């Protein structure tokens, strides 16, 4: 059996053993605004906040 010359750190060993990979986030398109956003999250379009295709917070008018 070969013996390592130097000790591998636990983080180096665990990095080699991992099977988790970076994944691209799943995005959805709003039917109302056409904005691309993360599902089940609020999102902004022109300063207005939307959730589930409905306007939650309207942008305040600047005087």
């Amino acid at each position: 059996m070969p013996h390592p010359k130097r000790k591998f750190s636990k983080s180096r060993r665990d990095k080699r053993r991992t099977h988790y990979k970076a994944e691209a986030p799943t995005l959805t398109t709003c039917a109302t605004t056409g904005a691309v956003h993360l599902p089940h999250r609020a999102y902004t379009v022109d300063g207005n906040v939307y959730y589930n295709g409905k306007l939650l917070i309207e942008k305040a008018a600047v005087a």
Side-chain angles (χ1 to χ4, degrees):
M1 289 285 299
H3 295 289
K5 195 162 216 165
R6 288 190 178 85
K7 180 177 180 176
F8 271 76
S9 68
K10 292 173 191 143
S11 63
R12 198 170 189 76
R13 175 200 66 200
D14 294 345
K15 277 189 230 175
R16 186 185 69 244
R17 290 180 180 174
T18 187
H19 292 285
Y20 296 112
K21 304 286 187 264
E23 296 177 359
T26 54
L27 299 173
T28 58
T29 305
C30 178
T32 308
T33 62
V36 178
H37 61 92
L38 291 169
H40 308 288
R41 304 280 195 296
Y43 56 96
T44 59
V45 176
D46 298 328
N48 299 326
V49 179
Y50 289 87
Y51 180 76
N52 203 16
K54 297 176 186 132
L55 181 64
L56 286 183
I57 302 170
E58 193 170 354
K59 182 178 179 182
V62 178

